[in-house]
Amino acid sequence: MTTLIASDHGGLNSKSAIVELCQDLGVAITDLGPCCSDSVDYPDYALTLIKSILDGRAERGILVCTTGIGMSIAANRFTGIRAALCTEIDQAERSRDHNDSNVLVLRGETDAAVNRAITEVWLKTPFGNVERHSRRLNKVDRAGRLAEVAVLASEDPEIYASIVAQTEQEDATINLIASENATSSAVRAATGSVLTNKYAEGYPGKRWYSGCKPVDAAEQIAINRAKELFNAEHANVQSHCGSSANMAVYFSVLQPGDTILAMSLNQGGHLTHGSPVNFSGQLYNISAYTVSPETEVLDYDAIKEQALAVKPKLIVAGASAYPRLLDFVRFREIADACGAMLMVDMAHIAGLVAGGVHPSPVPYADFVTSTTHKTLRGPRSGIILCRQQYAQVLDKTVFPGLQGGPQQNATAAKAVCFAEAMRPEFKAYAAQIVANSKALAQTIANRGFTLVSGGTDNHLMLVNVATRGLSGKDAAAALDNAGIICNKNAIPFDTKSPFVTSGIRIGTAAVTTRGMRETEMASIGGWICDILDDISNTDLQQQIRNTITGFASEFPTP
Ligand code: PLP
């Protein structure tokens, strides 16, 4: 364990005594200065020491100034730093045992022998009763969610209020929107970083602006990680969102009027898969495939027949509301049979693919597009993966074809998310998303509700509420009243308008991020059915809302 020490001029004498103590105890200590008694500014020395702890070069630090107060204030501004100002031995012991303090702050005016004794106890005391104290320390860390935006409280109170409202909503409700998740503080930190300041038209090493070294590094890391995570030949990480990623692929290989074979919006596809209100439906000739009316599952033989008949230039696989695994082997075979290229839009399932619980489209598709903010749990953004043969045309289409400067703060946040998705715990997370989805689906089905296709293989399910005389719109509104947030959704061959719908879509990515498991899915499923069984009962909705507030607080969002 490496320990660092720094002071200002007022802490110089105590610092020397502590360095001697460490040498006596055989503790490796590095003195970061100052070395003479000229007046210096304590924040400079605090910052030098804190930076080394934050980036892992050292585990612990000791700071000394005349009163200890300035150093404490400077150190405790940083998430992950727990600086304890100790003037008595007992405080040093408790700061380790209760608070897992990683920075000891000493008052230079305290007798040097006392500071020595305080330090010895601090160095020797372990963090105790981990379960009890960790819970409290987690709450300290959670306060960081507001600390991240604290400056806005005075700079822009109106925007601050909307961020606080979102934070409180996340804390007090159950988010079952299948396309959402809750990002780590690391992803949010990169998203809110100074990288937003930089213009960087072009690609790493080939920019139109000077001063791009830092963003070149971030973008290259994001590209490398995207390729490694998905085992892809080429990655473009500049798309601003999933829709622009899809547009970039279409613009790379299609001409207006070319035929695309894709799943229609009202069957579970996305707007950008050819909806008439979207550029995709307006520029291209769309042939839409459906699920089987009997099984509500994709019928690959029927899709093949359709492909052979319409001879598309591009086949799009992927969906926003399809609860079953996609068979990319079949899609490739169909594309080959009709001489089409294959694009897989894995926006919804990217996290499941990264976690190994959904087959990867990468070996089969010419292009794979994705958002990064759904099951993948990154920032709100997009990526495109492709075979090397399309790399040049794709990059040229993204920039300068469609975009100007990339959002390098989002690029960095994507890199953070890819690194998180490569960790073993992400595999466990992805598996739990699916286990939770199946458990929730089972609970709802056991109460007599009809699930589209009879169940789920992935992170989402579609509940056909029309079979119980309800509309998706009313069902989602009633659930919202009770603190359960999901969305109305068309079901295949829906007879109701897209504003009303016969279904609701429910997903488990965000609740799984909060640590909920099968037991919690049984509770949530029970509440959903109670509400839908008695949809006009607003007292029940309020009662469940109150229960959910307490329930949700046990599962903190990151
Ligand atoms: N593709 C699919 C399958 C989606 O579900 C979505 C969004 O929900 C998108 C693309 C578009 O993503 P964005 O909203 O980032 O444009």
Side-chain angles (χ1 to χ4, degrees):
M1 180 177 71
T2 311
T3 300
L4 304 175
I5 190 163
S7 71
D8 68 356
H9 48 283
L12 212 56
N13 289 342
S14 277
K15 189 177 68 167
S16 311
I18 303 306
V19 171
E20 262 175 39
L21 167 74
C22 287
Q23 282 158 356
D24 293 349
L25 293 176
V27 172
I29 186 144
T30 305
D31 185 351
L32 300 177
C35 54
C36 65
S37 59
D38 292 350
S39 176
V40 293
D41 294 338
Y42 64 85
D44 297 339
Y45 286 87
L47 184 60
T48 305
L49 181 140
I50 296 305
K51 272 161 70 181
S52 292
I53 295 181
L54 290 176
D55 68 19
R57 275 178 284 169
E59 280 170 56
R60 288 196 199 184
I62 301 169
L63 292 168
V64 200
C65 66
T66 309
T67 62
I69 295 170
M71 285 292 197
S72 300
I73 291 172
N76 275 322
R77 297 185 72 83
F78 295 87
T79 304
I81 297 298
R82 297 173 297 280
L85 168 57
C86 300
T87 52
E88 292 170 18
I89 292 172
D90 178 49
Q91 292 170 332
E93 188 179 351
R94 289 207 214 166
S95 84
R96 286 289 312 130
D97 182 58
H98 289 206
N99 314 110
D100 196 17
S101 64
N102 52 3
V103 174
L104 170 66
V105 187
L106 296 169
R107 178 172 166 265
E109 284 171 339
T110 301
D111 182 75
V114 174
N115 271 343
R116 211 183 129 102
I118 288 170
T119 305
E120 183 166 356
V121 167
W122 186 78
L123 287 169
K124 289 181 175 170
T125 307
F127 178 41
N129 195 340
V130 174
E131 198 178 318
R132 179 157 63 104
H133 295 310
S134 292
R135 192 181 71 242
R136 291 172 178 155
L137 287 176
N138 283 341
K139 289 191 175 181
V140 173
D141 282 346
R142 268 184 69 62
R145 295 189 95 207
L146 279 189
E148 285 167 8
V149 293
V151 65
L152 287 166
S154 54
E155 290 295 317
D156 194 331
E158 288 162 290
I159 290 300
Y160 180 70
S162 82
I163 297 172
V164 171
Q166 172 70 17
T167 308
E168 289 173 354
Q169 175 177 291
E170 288 183 8
D171 285 348
T173 59
I174 293 170
N175 181 12
L176 297 174
I177 304 267
S179 49
E180 293 182 8
N181 211 325
T183 49
S184 66
S185 56
V187 165
R188 294 197 301 277
T191 307
S193 71
V194 293
L195 295 180
T196 195
N197 295 343
K198 192 68 198 106
Y199 244 114
E201 286 178 350
Y203 289 96
K206 287 167 277 171
R207 305 286 191 187
W208 292 83
Y209 289 80
S210 301
C212 284
K213 261 195 183 156
V215 292
D216 274 5
E219 186 171 340
Q220 195 57 55
I221 291 166
I223 291 168
N224 295 348
R225 287 182 187 169
K227 285 165 65 177
E228 186 184 341
L229 179 63
F230 293 110
N231 203 12
E233 290 178 16
H234 180 75
N236 185 304
V237 295
Q238 292 195 358
S239 287
H240 297 325
C241 63
S243 298
S244 60
N246 288 347
M247 182 185 250
V249 173
Y250 300 164
F251 277 32
S252 291
V253 292
L254 301 178
Q255 294 300 318
D258 281 348
T259 299
I260 300 177
L261 178 65
M263 192 174 191
S264 68
L265 181 63
N266 60 19
Q267 295 278 314
H270 186 253
L271 276 170
T272 53
H273 299 177
S275 163
V277 298
N278 182 263
F279 79 92
S280 54
Q282 289 158 6
L283 284 185
Y284 304 106
N285 174 39
I286 303 295
S287 175
Y289 59 84
T290 67
V291 294
S292 148
E294 289 80 37
T295 62
E296 296 175 322
V297 171
L298 287 174
D299 175 346
Y300 293 94
D301 291 335
I303 297 172
K304 185 171 182 181
E305 210 173 294
Q306 190 173 344
L308 290 172
V310 303
K311 296 196 175 31
K313 195 158 175 196
L314 181 73
I315 295 178
V316 176
S320 302
Y322 184 66
R324 295 299 181 178
L325 295 184
L326 292 166
D327 188 341
F328 301 124
V329 177
R330 283 305 308 272
F331 269 116
R332 178 76 259 170
E333 184 230 318
I334 296 166
D336 288 343
C338 66
M341 288 170 286
L342 176 63
M343 177 188 110
V344 176
D345 176 347
M346 65 167 183
H348 262 263
I349 56 169
L352 306 184
V353 171
V357 295
H358 191 294
S360 171
V362 173
Y364 307 101
D366 298 283
F367 296 92
V368 176
T369 58
S370 186
T371 55
T372 46
H373 48 269
K374 299 185 172 77
T375 50
L376 195 53
R377 210 166 55 184
R380 187 158 293 282
S381 200
I383 52 164
I384 308 165
L385 311 171
C386 70
R387 294 187 171 167
Q388 194 56 43
Q389 72 192 90
Y390 301 111
Q392 219 180 346
V393 64
L394 176 74
D395 284 352
K396 227 173 125 186
T397 306
V398 173
F399 174 84
L402 287 171
Q403 296 181 184
Q407 296 172 345
Q408 295 295 20
N409 52 324
T411 306
K414 283 181 257 194
V416 173
C417 127
F418 300 148
E420 289 178 354
M422 279 189 249
R423 295 187 191 139
E425 51 268 34
F426 195 86
K427 277 197 174 8
Y429 166 65
Q432 191 63 48
I433 293 178
V434 177
N436 282 350
S437 184
K438 285 179 186 289
L440 187 52
Q442 195 59 58
T443 306
I444 294 171
N446 288 349
R447 291 275 298 262
F449 283 88
T450 305
L451 298 174
V452 168
S453 83
T456 178
D457 299 325
N458 60 20
H459 62 299
L460 68 80
M461 69 212 70
L462 286 169
V463 187
N464 179 343
V465 292
T467 57
R468 301 290 276 261
L470 305 173
S471 72
K473 184 178 172 206
D474 290 345
L479 292 168
D480 192 11
N481 275 342
I484 298 175
I485 300 177
C486 66
N487 61 282
K488 64 179 181 225
N489 212 101
I491 57 170
F493 311 103
D494 208 324
T495 51
K496 294 197 169 87
S497 90
F499 299 104
V500 179
T501 78
S502 299
I504 52 172
R505 187 183 64 163
I506 293 176
T508 54
V511 288
T512 307
T513 291
R514 295 176 79 166
M516 295 184 198
R517 302 174 71 89
E518 287 88 335
T519 317
E520 286 74 38
M521 295 307 112
S523 304
I524 295 171
W527 292 322
I528 290 173
C529 296
D530 290 347
I531 292 161
L532 298 185
D533 275 342
D534 194 4
I535 197 158
S536 314
N537 188 344
T538 49
D539 289 345
L540 176 68
Q541 289 160 19
Q542 188 54 49
Q543 200 183 311
I544 291 177
R545 186 172 194 109
N546 295 342
T547 307
I548 282 175
T549 305
F551 169 88
S553 69
E554 296 293 313
F555 299 92
T557 36

